[in-house]
Amino acid sequence: MAADTQDASADAGFGRISRTKDVAFRLIALAATLVGIVSLALLLANVTVDAVGWLDWQFLTNPPHPNPYEAGFLPALIGSIAIMLLIALITFPLGVGAAVYLEEYASDGYLTRFIQLNIANLAGVPSVVYGLLGLGLFIGLLNIGYGTILVAAFTVSLLILPIVIISAQEAIRAVPDSQRQASYGMGATKWQTIRNVVLPRAMPGIMTGTILALGRAIGETAPLIMIAAPTTVFGAPTSLFSKVSAMPLQIYNWASYPQTEFQYGVVAAGVVTLLVVLLTMNSIAIVIRNRYQQRT
Amino acid sequence: MSQPDFSHDGIRTARGTVFRYLFMLCALLSILTTAAIILTLVVDAIAFFQTVSPVEFLTGTRWSPTNEPIAFGVLPLISGTLIITVGSAMIALPIGLLTAIYLSEYASERQRAYLKPALEVLAGVPTVVYGYFALVYVTPALDTFLPLSTFNALSASIMVGIMIIPMVSSISEDSMSAVPDSLREASYGLGATKFTVSTSVVVPAALSGIFSSFILALSRAIGETMIVAIAAGQTPRMADVADPAGMFLDSIQTMTAAMVQIGTGDIVGQGVAYKSLFAVGLALFIITFVMNLISEIVASRYREVYR
């Protein structure tokens, strides 16, 4: 207190300066927060404007064409959707199974911690490395064939599996323990409790996480390039062993064309289509999450 | 009377055991995946190193896998990767940290409800789209006042930086939110302003989480592929430390971009170029895996402190 009165004059000055600093810092932090969001908004506005006139019914229903005015996106669109459906079929049961094991069965031992650390690490492995895994394992070793739907789906499934597991674990962890106890109290077995109590309660969260992970899968390009998926195909895939293209691959291919009609027109239309599909999926995830939140 | 119940119980238990092991298999698949990644990379990398000596690979300063004279020195690719990593870090680390401070210390609940999902969108945009943005919008915009090449490290760095902002901000914010309020209140009680509390109390207390987010973000920048493959070009060359401007204004090639280049070429032939993919992939995997591991260990240590 004695020191306080001694430095009273200095204190007043200090107080004023630091308040200015305080306000300035707040504004700088806010500006920093908005930098990324605003730049992305600007870029999206640009690409949307460029896509106008190019993104029409003909673009969505035509195959690719060297003439920009006839170029279409259909095979890539169908290819992406086909790959994504397969990925969903593969990752959903595997991801939920792994999450149920880790949350409901596994004891907190060495193996569990190792698996957990391993999953966290897998989530950070560059996607291009997963492409090499697909190339070496599914094409080199199992000989499924370059660039087929099956190889593409397996490869990208392994890539998003850690994300699906982590989000499913969070959803399962969020189920209150009292509900499990109630189920056991009624004489239910562990499996009955999981099937009738835990999974139904966790399902909206699991669905949300899976859809978001699928959204990531649909944008993946590098792994598909590494498994030699063609950047351009002219027809929709007919079997699991068909060579398949996907929206991001077609965009990558078009972006390398020198003509401005491609650079600022056709690619922009492709980008907007891809983003609209992504946005739709994310909205579905948000709707599921919100409906679930309202119910509880 | 109890006999049928018994057998029913037996079936129930058996079914439970079957599912238990089924689920365990799913969890073990993650370990199998890691093992498969390491095996695939190592087997083909060994085949590569039978043709090209590891010393030449690790110390060579020229990378030319398909054009004569063939050379497999990885240093130009590592130098290109470093340029992108440093460039994107200069954008993402300060912005991400300030964002985390704002979200954790300044933003109202309402602001956070809008800002957090908006930031998550940044990480959700496909990287091929970012690459395209860098090539057709950012480069021409910067070109009006900078002597840029069509393909350059600067635009690519900016886009990678924007992409990894959420990785820095969300993990840093989590660790800042975990700082006990008692520390903040103690500081306010001494007459500190919000600025002092944020920078002198919260940030130091959350340092391990912030550090962990930085490493993770850098690891993402190293492994990022499509942005650099599209916007930074395909010119493997050593960075000239004496000419930092030139490093960013001209085309470079990263490890990932080199992999894409070989991948889009004729890889059906099992030549040396094809096998070099796996050597570069192995180097990339080791670097990012070690960084992710460090990040995870630092983060989990901090979690134990405040729990």
Side-chain angles (χ1 to χ4, degrees), chain B residues 29-297:
Chain B
L29 185 68
S30 68
I31 292 180
L32 281 182
T33 307
T34 310
I37 290 177
I38 295 173
L39 270 180
T40 336
L41 294 179
V42 168
V43 167
D44 279 292
I46 286 176
F48 170 76
F49 286 128
Q50 279 165 351
T51 335
V52 179
S53 85
V55 178
E56 190 195 325
F57 179 69
L58 290 174
T59 59
T61 53
R62 241 176 52 79
W63 175 264
S64 173
T66 46
N67 295 332
E68 294 290 339
I70 304 277
F72 289 102
V74 80
L75 286 182
L77 302 181
I78 290 185
S79 121
T81 304
L82 268 179
I83 291 174
I84 297 290
T85 310
V86 169
S88 57
M90 288 195 299
I91 292 187
L93 302 193
I95 290 180
L97 184 57
L98 283 170
T99 302
I101 294 176
Y102 188 81
L103 288 176
S104 154
E105 305 301 312
Y106 288 93
S108 62
E109 270 311 310
R110 211 181 124 82
Q111 277 181 321
R112 268 223 297 225
Y114 287 106
L115 287 174
K116 283 185 81 161
L119 281 164
E120 278 164 29
V121 171
L122 290 180
V125 173
T127 54
V128 67
V129 172
Y130 274 130
Y132 169 71
F133 284 167
L135 182 67
V136 303
Y137 299 126
V138 178
T139 299
L142 294 175
D143 198 31
T144 54
F145 57 94
L146 281 173
L148 277 185
S149 312
T150 312
F151 300 104
N152 61 83
L154 185 63
S155 311
S157 300
I158 292 174
M159 272 299 140
V160 175
I162 288 180
M163 183 197 80
I164 59 177
I165 287 174
M167 279 141 215
V168 179
S169 67
S170 76
I171 300 177
S172 295
E173 197 224 325
D174 282 348
S175 66
M176 287 180 195
S177 306
V179 172
D181 262 349
S182 56
L183 287 182
R184 291 189 185 84
E185 280 150 18
S187 183
Y188 285 129
L190 290 169
T193 60
K194 203 147 202 166
F195 169 73
T196 318
V197 172
S198 304
T199 55
S200 313
V201 177
V202 176
V203 168
L207 211 54
S208 51
I210 294 170
F211 185 58
S212 147
S213 80
F214 282 6
I215 300 175
L216 187 70
L218 294 183
S219 164
R220 285 289 160 88
I222 291 172
E224 168 35 46
T225 309
M226 294 319 291
I227 300 177
V228 288
I230 295 175
Q234 319 262 308
T235 319
R237 55 192 183 86
M238 298 293 289
D240 183 3
V241 189
D243 178 26
M247 290 195 304
F248 281 101
L249 301 180
D250 289 332
S251 171
I252 52 136
Q253 189 171 41
T254 64
M255 298 163 82
T256 51
M259 290 164 76
V260 167
Q261 190 186 16
I262 298 173
T264 39
D266 181 25
I267 59 164
V268 182
Q270 303 266 319
V272 190
Y274 168 83
K275 290 186 178 116
S276 75
L277 262 180
F278 292 86
V280 178
L282 183 63
L284 181 69
F285 176 75
I286 292 173
I287 296 171
T288 52
F289 200 79
V290 168
M291 291 181 74
N292 294 340
L293 201 62
I294 295 173
S295 166
E296 191 66 27
I297 289 169

Side-chain angles (χ1 to χ4, degrees), chain A residues 18 21-22 25-26 28-30 32-37 39-40 43-44 46-47 50 94 97-98 100-101 105 114-115 117-126 128-130 132-133 135-137 146 158 161 187 189 191-192 219 221-222 225-226 228 248 251-252 255 263-264 267-268 271 274-275 278, chain B residues 12 15-16 19-20 23-24 26-31 33-34 36-37 40-41 95 98-99 101-102 106 115 118-119 121-122 124-126 128-130 132-133 135-137 140 159 162 193-195 199 220 223 225-226 230 256 259-260 263-264 267-268 270 274 277-278 281 284-285 288-289 292-293 296:
Chain A
S18 61
K21 221 193 274 173
D22 203 34
F25 183 70
R26 186 200 169 97
I28 291 170
L30 178 61
T33 309
L34 296 175
V35 165
I37 300 170
S39 356
L40 184 65
L43 292 167
L44 290 178
N46 262 320
V47 77
D50 282 345
L94 287 178
V100 166
Y101 176 76
Y105 287 105
F114 181 66
I115 294 178
L117 182 65
N118 192 56
I119 290 172
N121 258 318
L122 277 180
V125 171
V128 67
V129 171
Y130 278 98
L132 285 184
L133 170 67
L135 180 63
L137 184 66
Y146 288 98
L158 289 180
L161 199 51
T189 62
W191 164 240
Q192 285 172 327
T221 323
I225 291 178
M226 301 321 289
I251 289 170
Y252 173 61
Q263 291 257 307
Y264 290 96
V267 193
V271 166
L274 175 60
L275 290 177
L278 249 176
Chain B
R12 291 202 324 183
R15 193 190 287 160
F19 276 109
R20 184 198 167 98
F23 292 147
M24 192 173 169
C26 297
L28 289 175
L29 185 68
S30 68
I31 292 180
T33 307
T34 310
I37 290 177
T40 336
L41 294 179
I95 290 180
L98 283 170
T99 302
I101 294 176
Y102 188 81
Y106 288 93
L115 287 174
L119 281 164
V121 171
L122 290 180
V125 173
V128 67
V129 172
Y130 274 130
Y132 169 71
F133 284 167
L135 182 67
V136 303
Y137 299 126
M159 272 299 140
I162 288 180
T193 60
K194 203 147 202 166
F195 169 73
T199 55
R220 285 289 160 88
T225 309
M226 294 319 291
I230 295 175
T256 51
M259 290 164 76
V260 167
T264 39
I267 59 164
V268 182
Q270 303 266 319
Y274 168 83
L277 262 180
F278 292 86
L284 181 69
F285 176 75
T288 52
F289 200 79
N292 294 340
L293 201 62
E296 191 66 27

